[in-house]
Amino acid sequence: MRLVRWTPDDLVRRLDDVVTVYGEAMNYRTDLLAARRGYIAAHVRRPGFRAVASLTSEGHLAGFGYGYLGAAGQWWHDQVHRALDGDARRRWLADCFEVVELHVRPPAQGHGLGARQLTALLTMAPGSTTLLSTPEADEQRSRAWRLYRRFGFVDVLRHFHFPGDERPFGILGRDLPLTPQAPVDRAAAAPGPGVP
């Protein structure tokens, strides 16, 4: 397995594979994936775009991640902006790299690919903070939650509902740059109440 940095054109060339991995990892219906394809294609042109991919020795996509600098007028950014108070907005959104997608194909999960992808992505990320959203889950059982806690992500918003999705999400954040010791020790990454 090799981890590579992708340009916007690299991701667009492999868009079918990206959407397939996304669908498998998120267990989404096919009709939802068609709409997601258009969003992903548009995201590659946003300022600060960074992407990574995990490829098998045969060149098959096992996982990917990408993000960009958040700004007013972007749907996700605006939803989170409205939910935060003024201090939290200044703290988290003023210079924020949003981790938009980070996925590993289910058969490849549990082998450290997500951690390697997140490390590479955050090492390249512009900005002074990073935010991401993930469906609420049992933090002890969810691989995604355990990964984000190991990397020092803290609670920014919990049980947040995006329009059009009945599931609650956690909005998690951490400071950038990613320090050499990250991911951090699990005890050091224990979540605190609310915004730090």
Side-chain angles (χ1 to χ4, degrees):
M1 196 72 63
R2 64 191 170 96
L3 183 67
V4 296
R5 180 176 179 172
W6 267 359
T7 66
D9 290 338
D10 293 330
L11 192 146
V12 170
R13 267 192 299 277
R14 300 289 299 264
L15 191 54
D16 289 340
D17 296 333
V18 165
V19 171
T20 297
V21 171
Y22 174 80
E24 289 177 11
M26 295 296 287
N27 197 27
Y28 277 154
R29 298 185 324 260
T30 306
D31 60 321
L32 294 176
L33 297 180
R36 197 66 197 157
R37 180 184 175 85
Y39 297 134
I40 294 170
H43 288 165
V44 302
R45 303 295 174 217
R46 292 207 169 151
F49 179 84
R50 303 290 188 272
V52 296
S54 296
L55 303 173
T56 68
S57 56
E58 297 83 21
H60 299 294
L61 185 64
F64 73 95
Y66 74 84
Y68 46 74
L69 290 170
Q74 297 171 356
W75 185 84
W76 190 93
H77 177 277
D78 290 349
Q79 299 302 315
V80 174
H81 183 272
R82 279 193 281 279
L84 295 175
D85 66 28
D87 289 339
R89 288 176 186 153
R90 285 185 289 280
R91 163 79 173 99
W92 291 109
L93 296 175
D95 185 30
C96 178
F97 179 80
E98 295 174 7
V99 176
V100 179
E101 305 294 350
L102 184 75
H103 301 291
V104 175
R105 195 169 242 146
Q109 292 175 2
H111 302 287
L113 292 183
R116 289 198 302 262
Q117 290 176 170
L118 187 57
T119 298
L121 196 57
L122 295 183
T123 299
M124 298 185 298
S128 59
T129 62
T130 185
L131 288 175
L132 58 81
S133 56
T134 190
E136 290 283 356
D138 180 333
E139 292 189 31
Q140 301 306 311
R141 296 179 51 175
S142 166
R143 283 187 174 135
W145 277 88
R146 289 194 316 263
L147 173 67
Y148 300 140
R149 293 305 193 199
R150 271 196 340 263
F151 272 76
F153 279 86
V154 297
D155 295 345
V156 176
L157 291 169
R158 294 297 301 265
H159 304 285
F160 179 74
H161 287 269
F162 290 102
D165 196 326
E166 69 279 356
R167 298 170 304 163
F169 283 79
I171 311 297
L172 306 178
R174 64 157 286 141
D175 290 321
L176 291 176
L178 188 66
T179 56
Q181 69 268 18
V184 298
D185 177 83
R186 222 178 262 193
V195 179

Short mmCIF file of all heavy atoms in Angstrom, two decimals, residues 149-195:
data_model
loop_
_atom_site.label_atom_id
_atom_site.label_comp_id
_atom_site.label_asym_id
_atom_site.label_seq_id
_atom_site.Cartn_x
_atom_site.Cartn_y
_atom_site.Cartn_z
N ARG A 149 -9.89 11.23 18.15
CA ARG A 149 -9.44 11.50 19.52
C ARG A 149 -7.93 11.28 19.66
O ARG A 149 -7.25 12.06 20.34
CB ARG A 149 -10.20 10.63 20.52
CG ARG A 149 -11.67 10.95 20.64
CD ARG A 149 -11.93 12.41 20.98
NE ARG A 149 -13.32 12.58 21.38
CZ ARG A 149 -13.95 13.74 21.39
NH1 ARG A 149 -13.33 14.83 20.98
NH2 ARG A 149 -15.20 13.82 21.77
N ARG A 150 -7.40 10.25 19.00
CA ARG A 150 -5.95 10.02 19.05
C ARG A 150 -5.17 11.20 18.46
O ARG A 150 -4.05 11.47 18.86
CB ARG A 150 -5.57 8.75 18.27
CG ARG A 150 -5.61 7.50 19.08
CD ARG A 150 -4.88 6.32 18.46
NE ARG A 150 -4.63 6.34 17.05
CZ ARG A 150 -5.38 5.74 16.10
NH1 ARG A 150 -6.47 5.09 16.45
NH2 ARG A 150 -5.05 5.78 14.84
N PHE A 151 -5.77 11.87 17.51
CA PHE A 151 -5.13 13.02 16.88
C PHE A 151 -5.39 14.33 17.63
O PHE A 151 -5.00 15.39 17.17
CB PHE A 151 -5.60 13.16 15.43
CG PHE A 151 -4.77 12.36 14.47
CD1 PHE A 151 -4.92 10.98 14.39
CD2 PHE A 151 -3.83 12.96 13.66
CE1 PHE A 151 -4.16 10.23 13.52
CE2 PHE A 151 -3.06 12.22 12.79
CZ PHE A 151 -3.22 10.86 12.71
N GLY A 152 -6.04 14.26 18.77
CA GLY A 152 -6.25 15.44 19.59
C GLY A 152 -7.44 16.30 19.20
O GLY A 152 -7.54 17.44 19.65
N PHE A 153 -8.35 15.78 18.39
CA PHE A 153 -9.55 16.54 18.06
C PHE A 153 -10.45 16.63 19.30
O PHE A 153 -10.62 15.65 20.01
CB PHE A 153 -10.32 15.87 16.92
CG PHE A 153 -9.78 16.18 15.56
CD1 PHE A 153 -8.74 15.43 15.03
CD2 PHE A 153 -10.30 17.22 14.81
CE1 PHE A 153 -8.24 15.71 13.77
CE2 PHE A 153 -9.81 17.51 13.55
CZ PHE A 153 -8.77 16.76 13.02
N VAL A 154 -11.00 17.82 19.52
CA VAL A 154 -11.87 18.08 20.67
C VAL A 154 -13.26 18.46 20.17
O VAL A 154 -13.45 18.82 19.01
CB VAL A 154 -11.30 19.20 21.57
CG1 VAL A 154 -9.96 18.78 22.17
CG2 VAL A 154 -11.19 20.52 20.82
N ASP A 155 -14.22 18.42 21.06
CA ASP A 155 -15.59 18.78 20.74
C ASP A 155 -15.71 20.27 20.46
O ASP A 155 -15.25 21.09 21.27
CB ASP A 155 -16.52 18.44 21.89
CG ASP A 155 -16.62 16.96 22.18
OD1 ASP A 155 -16.22 16.14 21.34
OD2 ASP A 155 -17.11 16.64 23.27
N VAL A 156 -16.32 20.61 19.36
CA VAL A 156 -16.69 21.99 19.05
C VAL A 156 -18.22 22.11 19.12
O VAL A 156 -18.75 23.01 19.75
CB VAL A 156 -16.15 22.42 17.67
CG1 VAL A 156 -16.63 23.82 17.30
CG2 VAL A 156 -14.62 22.36 17.65
N LEU A 157 -18.92 21.17 18.50
CA LEU A 157 -20.38 21.04 18.61
C LEU A 157 -20.71 19.55 18.69
O LEU A 157 -20.08 18.76 18.01
CB LEU A 157 -21.08 21.61 17.37
CG LEU A 157 -21.06 23.10 17.13
CD1 LEU A 157 -21.57 23.41 15.73
CD2 LEU A 157 -21.90 23.82 18.17
N ARG A 158 -21.69 19.21 19.48
CA ARG A 158 -22.13 17.82 19.54
C ARG A 158 -23.61 17.75 19.21
O ARG A 158 -24.35 18.70 19.43
CB ARG A 158 -21.88 17.22 20.93
CG ARG A 158 -20.42 17.06 21.31
CD ARG A 158 -19.63 16.10 20.41
NE ARG A 158 -20.12 14.75 20.37
CZ ARG A 158 -19.66 13.75 21.13
NH1 ARG A 158 -18.71 13.96 22.00
NH2 ARG A 158 -20.18 12.54 21.01
N HIS A 159 -24.01 16.60 18.66
CA HIS A 159 -25.40 16.33 18.30
C HIS A 159 -25.98 17.43 17.40
O HIS A 159 -27.11 17.88 17.57
CB HIS A 159 -26.25 16.13 19.56
CG HIS A 159 -25.70 15.05 20.44
ND1 HIS A 159 -25.82 13.71 20.13
CD2 HIS A 159 -24.95 15.11 21.57
CE1 HIS A 159 -25.20 13.00 21.05
NE2 HIS A 159 -24.67 13.82 21.94
N PHE A 160 -25.15 17.82 16.43
CA PHE A 160 -25.53 18.87 15.48
C PHE A 160 -26.24 18.23 14.29
O PHE A 160 -25.82 17.19 13.79
CB PHE A 160 -24.28 19.61 15.01
CG PHE A 160 -24.56 20.70 14.02
CD1 PHE A 160 -25.14 21.88 14.43
CD2 PHE A 160 -24.25 20.53 12.68
CE1 PHE A 160 -25.41 22.89 13.52
CE2 PHE A 160 -24.51 21.53 11.77
CZ PHE A 160 -25.10 22.72 12.19
N HIS A 161 -27.30 18.86 13.83
CA HIS A 161 -28.07 18.35 12.69
C HIS A 161 -27.90 19.26 11.49
O HIS A 161 -28.22 20.45 11.56
CB HIS A 161 -29.56 18.23 13.05
CG HIS A 161 -29.84 17.09 13.97
ND1 HIS A 161 -30.16 15.83 13.53
CD2 HIS A 161 -29.82 17.03 15.32
CE1 HIS A 161 -30.33 15.03 14.56
NE2 HIS A 161 -30.14 15.74 15.66
N PHE A 162 -27.39 18.68 10.40
CA PHE A 162 -27.32 19.40 9.14
C PHE A 162 -28.68 19.29 8.46
O PHE A 162 -29.33 18.24 8.53
CB PHE A 162 -26.25 18.81 8.22
CG PHE A 162 -24.84 19.07 8.68
CD1 PHE A 162 -24.11 18.08 9.33
CD2 PHE A 162 -24.26 20.30 8.46
CE1 PHE A 162 -22.82 18.32 9.75
CE2 PHE A 162 -22.96 20.55 8.88
CZ PHE A 162 -22.24 19.56 9.53
N PRO A 163 -29.12 20.35 7.77
CA PRO A 163 -30.40 20.26 7.05
C PRO A 163 -30.39 19.09 6.06
O PRO A 163 -29.40 18.86 5.37
CB PRO A 163 -30.47 21.60 6.30
CG PRO A 163 -29.59 22.51 7.06
CD PRO A 163 -28.49 21.65 7.63
N GLY A 164 -31.48 18.33 6.05
CA GLY A 164 -31.61 17.23 5.11
C GLY A 164 -31.02 15.91 5.57
O GLY A 164 -31.08 14.92 4.86
N ASP A 165 -30.45 15.88 6.78
CA ASP A 165 -29.88 14.63 7.30
C ASP A 165 -30.41 14.43 8.71
O ASP A 165 -30.24 15.31 9.57
CB ASP A 165 -28.35 14.71 7.30
CG ASP A 165 -27.68 13.35 7.44
OD1 ASP A 165 -28.23 12.47 8.14
OD2 ASP A 165 -26.60 13.16 6.86
N GLU A 166 -31.07 13.31 8.93
CA GLU A 166 -31.67 13.06 10.26
C GLU A 166 -30.65 12.66 11.31
O GLU A 166 -30.94 12.68 12.51
CB GLU A 166 -32.78 12.00 10.16
CG GLU A 166 -32.31 10.60 9.84
CD GLU A 166 -32.05 10.33 8.36
OE1 GLU A 166 -32.29 11.21 7.51
OE2 GLU A 166 -31.56 9.23 8.05
N ARG A 167 -29.44 12.29 10.88
CA ARG A 167 -28.42 11.84 11.84
C ARG A 167 -27.78 13.02 12.57
O ARG A 167 -27.51 14.04 11.96
CB ARG A 167 -27.31 11.07 11.13
CG ARG A 167 -27.76 9.82 10.44
CD ARG A 167 -26.66 9.26 9.56
NE ARG A 167 -26.21 10.28 8.62
CZ ARG A 167 -25.08 10.25 7.94
NH1 ARG A 167 -24.26 9.25 8.07
NH2 ARG A 167 -24.76 11.22 7.11
N PRO A 168 -27.48 12.86 13.86
CA PRO A 168 -26.71 13.88 14.56
C PRO A 168 -25.21 13.72 14.25
O PRO A 168 -24.72 12.60 14.06
CB PRO A 168 -27.00 13.61 16.03
CG PRO A 168 -27.30 12.14 16.08
CD PRO A 168 -27.93 11.79 14.76
N PHE A 169 -24.51 14.84 14.22
CA PHE A 169 -23.07 14.85 13.94
C PHE A 169 -22.31 15.52 15.07
O PHE A 169 -22.82 16.41 15.73
CB PHE A 169 -22.79 15.62 12.64
CG PHE A 169 -23.10 14.85 11.40
CD1 PHE A 169 -24.40 14.73 10.95
CD2 PHE A 169 -22.09 14.23 10.68
CE1 PHE A 169 -24.70 14.03 9.80
CE2 PHE A 169 -22.37 13.51 9.53
CZ PHE A 169 -23.68 13.41 9.09
N GLY A 170 -21.08 15.09 15.24
CA GLY A 170 -20.14 15.80 16.08
C GLY A 170 -19.27 16.66 15.18
O GLY A 170 -18.81 16.19 14.13
N ILE A 171 -19.05 17.90 15.57
CA ILE A 171 -18.11 18.79 14.89
C ILE A 171 -16.89 18.84 15.79
O ILE A 171 -16.97 19.26 16.95
CB ILE A 171 -18.68 20.21 14.67
CG1 ILE A 171 -20.09 20.15 14.07
CG2 ILE A 171 -17.71 21.04 13.84
CD1 ILE A 171 -20.19 19.53 12.70
N LEU A 172 -15.76 18.38 15.26
CA LEU A 172 -14.53 18.26 16.04
C LEU A 172 -13.45 19.16 15.45
O LEU A 172 -13.42 19.39 14.24
CB LEU A 172 -14.05 16.81 16.04
CG LEU A 172 -15.06 15.75 16.48
CD1 LEU A 172 -14.45 14.36 16.40
CD2 LEU A 172 -15.56 16.04 17.89
N GLY A 173 -12.57 19.65 16.32
CA GLY A 173 -11.51 20.53 15.85
C GLY A 173 -10.21 20.34 16.60
O GLY A 173 -10.18 19.74 17.68
N ARG A 174 -9.14 20.83 15.99
CA ARG A 174 -7.82 20.87 16.63
C ARG A 174 -7.02 21.98 15.99
O ARG A 174 -7.35 22.46 14.91
CB ARG A 174 -7.09 19.54 16.53
CG ARG A 174 -6.73 19.09 15.13
CD ARG A 174 -5.57 18.11 15.08
NE ARG A 174 -4.35 18.83 15.34
CZ ARG A 174 -3.33 18.37 16.08
NH1 ARG A 174 -3.37 17.19 16.62
NH2 ARG A 174 -2.27 19.11 16.27
N ASP A 175 -5.97 22.37 16.68
CA ASP A 175 -5.08 23.39 16.14
C ASP A 175 -4.15 22.80 15.11
O ASP A 175 -3.82 21.60 15.14
CB ASP A 175 -4.25 24.02 17.27
CG ASP A 175 -5.09 24.89 18.18
OD1 ASP A 175 -5.98 25.60 17.67
OD2 ASP A 175 -4.86 24.87 19.41
N LEU A 176 -3.69 23.64 14.21
CA LEU A 176 -2.64 23.31 13.25
C LEU A 176 -1.46 24.24 13.53
O LEU A 176 -1.65 25.31 14.09
CB LEU A 176 -3.14 23.51 11.82
CG LEU A 176 -4.21 22.53 11.33
CD1 LEU A 176 -4.67 22.93 9.92
CD2 LEU A 176 -3.69 21.10 11.33
N PRO A 177 -0.24 23.87 13.20
CA PRO A 177 0.08 22.69 12.41
C PRO A 177 0.05 21.41 13.24
O PRO A 177 0.05 21.45 14.46
CB PRO A 177 1.50 22.97 11.91
CG PRO A 177 2.10 23.83 12.98
CD PRO A 177 0.95 24.67 13.50
N LEU A 178 0.05 20.30 12.51
CA LEU A 178 0.13 19.00 13.16
C LEU A 178 1.54 18.86 13.71
O LEU A 178 2.52 19.03 12.99
CB LEU A 178 -0.14 17.90 12.12
CG LEU A 178 -0.27 16.48 12.64
CD1 LEU A 178 -1.51 16.35 13.52
CD2 LEU A 178 -0.37 15.51 11.48
N THR A 179 1.63 18.60 15.00
CA THR A 179 2.95 18.49 15.63
C THR A 179 3.54 17.11 15.38
O THR A 179 2.81 16.14 15.15
CB THR A 179 2.85 18.74 17.14
OG1 THR A 179 1.89 17.84 17.68
CG2 THR A 179 2.43 20.17 17.42
N PRO A 180 4.87 16.98 15.45
CA PRO A 180 5.50 15.68 15.17
C PRO A 180 5.00 14.54 16.04
O PRO A 180 4.99 13.41 15.62
CB PRO A 180 6.98 15.94 15.42
CG PRO A 180 7.15 17.41 15.29
CD PRO A 180 5.84 18.02 15.70
N GLN A 181 4.57 14.82 17.28
CA GLN A 181 4.12 13.74 18.15
C GLN A 181 2.71 13.27 17.86
O GLN A 181 2.28 12.27 18.38
CB GLN A 181 4.24 14.12 19.63
CG GLN A 181 3.28 15.18 20.10
CD GLN A 181 3.86 16.57 19.99
OE1 GLN A 181 4.83 16.81 19.29
NE2 GLN A 181 3.26 17.52 20.69
N ALA A 182 1.97 13.98 17.02
CA ALA A 182 0.60 13.53 16.70
C ALA A 182 0.67 12.28 15.85
O ALA A 182 1.55 12.17 15.01
CB ALA A 182 -0.18 14.63 15.98
N PRO A 183 -0.18 11.30 16.01
CA PRO A 183 -1.32 11.34 16.92
C PRO A 183 -0.91 11.32 18.37
O PRO A 183 0.13 10.76 18.72
CB PRO A 183 -2.11 10.09 16.54
CG PRO A 183 -1.16 9.19 15.85
CD PRO A 183 -0.10 10.06 15.26
N VAL A 184 -1.75 11.92 19.20
CA VAL A 184 -1.43 12.07 20.61
C VAL A 184 -1.88 10.85 21.40
O VAL A 184 -2.68 10.05 20.94
CB VAL A 184 -2.08 13.34 21.19
CG1 VAL A 184 -1.55 14.57 20.49
CG2 VAL A 184 -3.58 13.30 21.11
N ASP A 185 -1.38 10.77 22.61
CA ASP A 185 -1.78 9.71 23.51
C ASP A 185 -3.27 9.83 23.79
O ASP A 185 -3.80 10.93 23.92
CB ASP A 185 -0.98 9.86 24.82
CG ASP A 185 -1.39 8.82 25.84
OD1 ASP A 185 -0.90 7.70 25.78
OD2 ASP A 185 -2.23 9.17 26.70
N ARG A 186 -3.96 8.72 23.89
CA ARG A 186 -5.40 8.72 24.07
C ARG A 186 -5.84 9.48 25.32
O ARG A 186 -6.80 10.21 25.30
CB ARG A 186 -5.89 7.26 24.20
CG ARG A 186 -7.15 7.02 23.44
CD ARG A 186 -7.56 5.61 23.54
NE ARG A 186 -7.13 4.92 22.34
CZ ARG A 186 -7.52 3.73 22.00
NH1 ARG A 186 -8.33 3.07 22.77
NH2 ARG A 186 -7.10 3.17 20.89
N ALA A 187 -5.11 9.34 26.41
CA ALA A 187 -5.49 10.04 27.64
C ALA A 187 -5.37 11.55 27.46
O ALA A 187 -6.20 12.31 27.95
CB ALA A 187 -4.61 9.58 28.80
N ALA A 188 -4.36 11.99 26.71
CA ALA A 188 -4.18 13.43 26.49
C ALA A 188 -5.26 13.98 25.58
O ALA A 188 -5.49 15.18 25.55
CB ALA A 188 -2.80 13.68 25.89
N ALA A 189 -5.88 13.12 24.77
CA ALA A 189 -6.88 13.57 23.82
C ALA A 189 -8.31 13.45 24.35
O ALA A 189 -9.24 13.62 23.60
CB ALA A 189 -6.76 12.75 22.53
N ALA A 190 -8.46 13.17 25.63
CA ALA A 190 -9.80 13.02 26.18
C ALA A 190 -10.61 14.29 25.94
O ALA A 190 -10.10 15.39 26.12
CB ALA A 190 -9.72 12.72 27.68
N PRO A 191 -11.84 14.14 25.49
CA PRO A 191 -12.65 15.32 25.16
C PRO A 191 -13.00 16.13 26.40
O PRO A 191 -13.22 15.58 27.47
CB PRO A 191 -13.88 14.73 24.53
CG PRO A 191 -14.00 13.36 25.06
CD PRO A 191 -12.57 12.90 25.31
N GLY A 192 -13.03 17.41 26.23
CA GLY A 192 -13.47 18.29 27.31
C GLY A 192 -14.88 18.78 26.99
O GLY A 192 -15.34 18.63 25.88
N PRO A 193 -15.52 19.40 27.93
CA PRO A 193 -16.86 19.89 27.65
C PRO A 193 -16.81 21.15 26.78
O PRO A 193 -16.07 22.07 27.07
CB PRO A 193 -17.42 20.21 29.05
CG PRO A 193 -16.21 20.45 29.90
CD PRO A 193 -15.10 19.61 29.30
N GLY A 194 -17.56 21.15 25.71
CA GLY A 194 -17.68 22.34 24.87
C GLY A 194 -16.42 22.76 24.19
O GLY A 194 -15.49 21.99 24.00
N VAL A 195 -16.35 24.03 23.87
CA VAL A 195 -15.21 24.58 23.16
C VAL A 195 -14.07 24.82 24.14
O VAL A 195 -14.27 25.37 25.21
CB VAL A 195 -15.61 25.92 22.50
CG1 VAL A 195 -14.46 26.56 21.78
CG2 VAL A 195 -16.77 25.70 21.56
#
